[in-house]
Amino acid sequence: MSRPTLALIGATGAVGTVMRDIVSTRDDVWGEIRLVASPRSAGKVLRVRGEDVVVRALAPEVFDGVDIAIFDVPDEVSAEWVPIAAQRGAVVIDKSGTFRMDPDVPLVVPEVNPGDARDRPRNIISTPNCTTLSMMAAMGALHAEYGLRELVVASYQAVSGSGVAGSARLYDEIEALAGDRSIGQTAGDVRKALANKLPDESPFPAPVAFNVVPWAGSYKDGGWASEELKLRNESRKILGIPDLKVSATCVRVPVITTHSLAVHARFEREITVADAHRVLEAAPTVVLMDDPANGVFPTPADVVGTDPTYVGRVRQAVDFPNTLDLFVCGDNLRKGAALNAAEIAELVATEF
Amino acid sequence: MSRPTLALIGATGAVGTVMRDIVSTRDDVWGEIRLVASPRSAGKVLRVRGEDVVVRALAPEVFDGVDIAIFDVPDEVSAEWVPIAAQRGAVVIDKSGTFRMDPDVPLVVPEVNPGDARDRPRNIISTPNCTTLSMMAAMGALHAEYGLRELVVASYQAVSGSGVAGSARLYDEIEALAGDRSIGQTAGDVRKALANKLPDESPFPAPVAFNVVPWAGSYKDGGWASEELKLRNESRKILGIPDLKVSATCVRVPVITTHSLAVHARFEREITVADAHRVLEAAPTVVLMDDPANGVFPTPADVVGTDPTYVGRVRQAVDFPNTLDLFVCGDNLRKGAALNAAEIAELVATEF
Ligand SMILES: NC(=O)c1ccc[n+]([C@@H]2O[C@H](COP(=O)([O-])OP(=O)(O)OC[C@H]3O[C@@H](n4cnc5c(N)ncnc54)[C@H](OP(=O)(O)O)[C@@H]3O)[C@@H](O)[C@H]2O)c1
Ligand SMILES: NC(=O)c1ccc[n+]([C@@H]2O[C@H](COP(=O)([O-])OP(=O)(O)OC[C@H]3O[C@@H](n4cnc5c(N)ncnc54)[C@H](OP(=O)(O)O)[C@@H]3O)[C@@H](O)[C@H]2O)c1
């Protein structure tokens, strides 16, 4: 077994930054680690595994000698460059939405379907969108024993899901509004205050400070947001349940990092809160925080920056058979993105 | 027809303040308007209908000559004082949770069940909790034509749902955290920063700035929060559907005022997005904002301080029969509390 060469494409971004942190702190199985971003970042010096590495501009040659390439770049950059990297011999792990539903590209969550990573006719493995990923470890564990049939999901999505620009926008908006103790009490007052202080362009279609925004992604037929359909289609593919019933509403909230989901889940078999607790406690990457009488439930502020999927508020849905309601939190940059990619990369690395 | 005397109990509170504004701006059907609060506020001068009124301390005599009394006070104060006011001859409209499920107390939303306000054996009418109310005008209109059968709801509840103290806490937390552009990125960092600057006591069981908190109300059997059960039981009573299936997850978000709900609603009869649009457009107190391709959907920041119930993001739930997903916003202090009470009071006033 030799130590494979790893390339991180998009190393300067929100996910890329966490990616560097993660490969620096997990068991080091890598030979060279190459950092790549846009020509704008070429020559920048970034740290990984405690060493300074010069960032290279994305070009075909950066893949020479690369065994595994993790792509954390916008969809259109992945669409162009992932096939180039794969053709040049790298196993590509791609975090964009571009290849996820391609039948020849496995969509992998190592806790749920690690075996799928080995069957990759295009030399590409996709990692799911961060909202789906935030609940997958937990729902996968419950599905394995009780057979998932239906999911109704409402999301509370962090702004860093829109990258570095998303976090910057929330910090900017909060700074522009803080100190005004009348803000948020009159229709449009937040918009007006921001218009005076910040540029109009925002990663979000409405103010996100002192607000929630029921929109994530691009417009799809029937009034759906792309993120809502991803949650449906990716859950089906990862869990291997082609007829899983899913309805989702995706909502952006003023949280920097960590997505939360309110999940209403119907199973094939009878399931109690105690059953769910047993399964979730046994799941290695899930942490159960469920004692609300004593104030114990997960919140983004308490779990951000950590690896597990946190589950709380598990309740029997009194009016629905075989159904639980629960609340899940997961760091969208770690398990929701960089960590899942690192785990896939480590799976693939064992082949070298 | 004489002009009835109105007493506002809790006139200094979050709901009471909006109550004074609402009776000052709607058609004036009132004779004297009396303002009442705790002994702490006695002697304070507050404005209503453009006039200064001295606040009186709550005492049996304040109800002498009062025709209609609106209570906007904590549950335990209502429990003690509502029966006293009713016994002294006032028709009481109570906004607390104390009497809502009493079979001898009607629970009224004027758009949905106005007739129930006339049948009040205890001389008490209850108005629903603000989360239920935020969706009732819309769901009542859809139910009337299509027969509601199931509701799965996730809430995005504003901090003013916890009164003046709730809003103050969010403003305090935002001021304490603004300017630190690393906040919200490490587990517990928000808690730590707040502990250094603010008192520990908060109306919320976790930080609410840069966070969401999946808990509202008090602990109930099976891990339910009282607010989640209210949403179920009050919806059943108002809509007159004793076997309505309801599951709710209530979550506090960093918004000052206006509750939002992601609603997954199954109906008895087939219903399309166009059907729902037609019904909601015809509902006098509902505003349809549903053109997401052009950025049109309701958000709290755009609707706060106004009266209607706003509905957007109406979608056909592709995997579920006769089912829609939608997003609703309503000002929790107006339609969610003071406005609904004022509308009930106006209904009752026509009897004088
Ligand atoms: N944020 C999340 O929670 C999350 C979760 C799951 C998946 N994803 C996906 O992960 C990907 C990256 O997202 P992000 O949030 O990290 O975005 P981001 O913060 O905006 O970072 C984008 C990265 O892509 C690089 N890049 C942009 N254009 C490029 C080009 N033409 N050639 C080479 N590199 C280019 C940028 O380099 P420069 O700095 O040089 O511009 C930067 O490193 C996206 O596909 C996103 O959908 C994000
Ligand atoms: N906020 C909402 O969105 C909302 C929505 C629906 C229903 N509600 C319900 O409405 C009620 C009022 O809520 P709020 O949010 O307005 O609370 P709040 O801001 O805390 O105001 C409480 C009011 O009650 C008065 N009060 C407290 N103790 C009293 C006593 N012993 N005797 C007489 N008056 C007393 C206070 O007077 P002082 O100023 O003199 O202390 C104040 O006017 C509660 O039952 C709440 O559950 C609230």
Side-chain angles (χ1 to χ4, degrees):
Chain A
M1 188 179 138
S2 70
R3 289 175 158 261
T5 294
L6 178 70
L8 303 181
I9 321 302
T12 54
V15 177
T17 300
V18 175
M19 197 75 238
R20 286 185 283 117
D21 175 47
I22 282 177
V23 295
S24 302
T25 49
R26 289 175 71 86
D27 275 356
D28 187 8
V29 300
W30 307 110
E32 186 194 349
I33 296 184
R34 237 168 251 183
L35 303 184
V36 180
S38 83
R40 292 179 292 278
S41 303
K44 258 195 193 167
V45 176
L46 293 176
R47 287 188 78 78
V48 64
R49 294 186 297 189
E51 288 162 23
D52 287 341
V53 177
V54 180
V55 177
R56 298 169 62 169
L58 183 54
E61 310 79 61
V62 302
F63 299 105
D64 291 346
V66 168
D67 296 300
I68 300 176
I70 299 181
F71 274 70
D72 307 313
V73 296
D75 281 8
E76 63 281 10
V77 181
S78 275
E80 182 180 349
W81 287 91
V82 163
I84 296 173
Q87 231 172 352
R88 291 178 93 93
V91 177
V92 177
I93 298 161
D94 182 46
K95 212 135 32 197
S96 80
T98 315
F99 302 97
R100 288 187 197 134
M101 298 314 295
D102 183 327
D104 289 331
V105 174
L107 182 63
V108 175
V109 179
E111 293 97 322
V112 180
N113 59 343
D116 290 0
R118 277 190 296 272
D119 183 16
R120 42 174 200 262
R122 295 189 62 183
N123 232 10
I124 304 170
I125 300 169
S126 268
T127 169
N129 92 83
C130 45
T131 314
T132 310
L133 257 178
S134 302
M135 66 171 176
M136 260 316 118
M139 299 319 295
L142 292 169
H143 169 59
E145 278 207 41
Y146 292 93
L148 192 62
R149 301 303 304 270
E150 296 179 10
L151 281 177
V152 181
V153 176
S155 75
Y156 302 73
Q157 294 185 221
V159 293
S160 69
S162 295
V164 167
S167 302
R169 180 72 191 189
L170 178 56
Y171 286 129
D172 286 344
E173 292 191 4
I174 290 285
E175 280 176 34
L177 301 172
D180 177 353
R181 298 178 76 96
S182 75
I183 205 74
Q185 300 185 32
T186 320
D189 66 351
V190 168
R191 269 185 206 274
K192 239 170 280 162
L194 295 180
N196 289 334
K197 299 194 179 177
L198 294 180
D200 273 352
E201 315 85 75
S202 162
F204 308 109
V208 69
F210 289 105
N211 205 17
V212 300
V213 183
W215 190 259
S218 55
Y219 182 84
K220 299 289 168 188
D221 276 356
W224 291 93
S226 55
E227 195 99 344
E228 293 158 351
L229 298 182
K230 285 178 187 174
L231 206 138
R232 172 174 180 264
N233 299 331
E234 297 182 16
S235 295
R236 288 175 159 202
K237 182 166 177 176
I238 298 159
L239 295 168
I241 320 173
D243 61 348
L244 181 67
K245 298 182 177 188
V246 184
S247 254
T249 300
C250 287
V251 180
R252 195 74 62 180
V253 296
V255 165
I256 294 293
T257 295
T258 293
H259 289 351
S260 306
L261 302 172
V263 180
H264 175 84
R266 189 166 74 79
F267 296 88
E268 204 166 325
R269 290 179 277 290
E270 213 179 305
I271 181 168
T272 64
V273 171
D275 292 331
H277 279 182
R278 180 182 46 75
V279 169
L280 296 169
E281 270 170 341
T285 62
V286 174
V287 173
L288 184 69
M289 287 185 76
D290 196 11
D291 182 11
N294 292 305
V296 177
F297 41 72
T299 82
D302 293 321
V303 314
V304 58
T306 69
D307 290 346
T309 298
Y310 294 79
V311 183
R313 302 298 325 282
V314 184
R315 291 148 290 155
Q316 191 96 43
V318 278
D319 298 327
F320 298 84
N322 305 350
T323 303
L324 297 178
D325 289 282
L326 42 90
F327 190 77
V328 187
C329 291
D331 185 316
N332 51 296
L333 297 177
R334 296 182 77 87
K335 184 63 203 175
L339 176 62
N340 199 66
E343 289 167 342
I344 297 172
E346 291 166 7
L347 273 183
V348 175
T350 61
E351 302 172 15
F352 286 81
Chain B
M1 186 177 138
S2 70
R3 287 174 159 262
T5 296
L6 177 69
L8 303 181
I9 322 302
T12 54
V15 177
T17 300
V18 175
M19 197 77 237
R20 286 185 282 116
D21 174 49
I22 281 178
V23 296
S24 302
T25 49
R26 289 175 72 85
D27 277 356
D28 187 8
V29 300
W30 307 109
E32 185 194 349
I33 296 184
R34 237 168 250 182
L35 302 184
V36 181
S38 82
R40 292 179 291 278
S41 303
K44 260 195 192 166
V45 177
L46 293 176
R47 290 189 75 83
V48 65
R49 294 187 297 189
E51 288 163 24
D52 286 342
V53 176
V54 179
V55 177
R56 297 169 64 170
L58 183 54
E61 310 79 60
V62 302
F63 299 106
D64 291 348
V66 168
D67 296 301
I68 299 176
I70 299 181
F71 275 70
D72 307 313
V73 295
D75 281 8
E76 62 282 9
V77 181
S78 276
E80 182 180 351
W81 288 91
V82 163
I84 296 172
Q87 229 172 354
R88 292 177 92 97
V91 177
V92 177
I93 297 161
D94 181 46
K95 210 137 29 200
S96 81
T98 317
F99 302 99
R100 287 185 198 136
M101 297 314 295
D102 183 328
D104 289 332
V105 174
L107 182 63
V108 175
V109 180
E111 292 97 324
V112 181
N113 59 343
D116 290 1
R118 279 190 296 272
D119 182 17
R120 46 176 196 259
R122 296 188 60 181
N123 232 12
I124 304 171
I125 300 169
S126 267
T127 170
N129 91 84
C130 44
T131 314
T132 309
L133 258 176
S134 302
M135 66 170 175
M136 262 314 119
M139 299 320 295
L142 292 170
H143 169 58
E145 280 207 42
Y146 292 93
L148 191 62
R149 300 303 304 270
E150 295 179 11
L151 281 176
V152 181
V153 177
S155 76
Y156 303 74
Q157 295 184 221
V159 293
S160 70
S162 295
V164 167
S167 302
R169 180 72 192 189
L170 178 55
Y171 287 129
D172 286 345
E173 291 190 2
I174 290 286
E175 281 175 34
L177 300 172
D180 177 352
R181 297 176 79 98
S182 75
I183 206 75
Q185 299 186 33
T186 320
D189 67 352
V190 169
R191 271 184 204 274
K192 240 172 276 162
L194 295 178
N196 288 335
K197 299 195 180 178
L198 295 180
D200 273 351
E201 314 84 74
S202 162
F204 308 109
V208 70
F210 290 104
N211 206 17
V212 301
V213 184
W215 189 259
S218 55
Y219 182 84
K220 299 288 169 190
D221 277 356
W224 292 92
S226 55
E227 196 98 343
E228 292 159 349
L229 298 182
K230 284 178 186 174
L231 206 139
R232 172 175 182 261
N233 298 329
E234 296 182 16
S235 295
R236 289 175 158 201
K237 182 168 176 174
I238 297 159
L239 296 168
I241 319 173
D243 60 349
L244 181 67
K245 297 181 178 188
V246 185
S247 255
T249 299
C250 286
V251 179
R252 195 74 63 179
V253 296
V255 165
I256 294 293
T257 295
T258 294
H259 289 352
S260 305
L261 302 172
V263 180
H264 174 84
R266 190 168 72 80
F267 296 88
E268 204 166 323
R269 287 179 279 290
E270 211 179 306
I271 182 169
T272 64
V273 171
D275 294 331
H277 279 183
R278 180 181 47 74
V279 169
L280 295 169
E281 268 170 342
T285 62
V286 174
V287 173
L288 184 68
M289 286 184 78
D290 196 12
D291 183 11
N294 292 303
V296 177
F297 41 72
T299 82
D302 292 320
V303 314
V304 59
T306 69
D307 290 346
T309 299
Y310 295 79
V311 184
R313 302 298 327 281
V314 184
R315 290 148 291 156
Q316 192 97 43
V318 277
D319 298 326
F320 298 84
N322 305 348
T323 303
L324 298 178
D325 288 282
L326 42 90
F327 190 77
V328 187
C329 291
D331 184 316
N332 53 296
L333 298 176
R334 296 182 78 87
K335 185 62 202 177
L339 176 63
N340 198 66
E343 290 167 343
I344 298 171
E346 291 166 7
L347 274 182
V348 175
T350 61
E351 301 172 15
F352 284 84

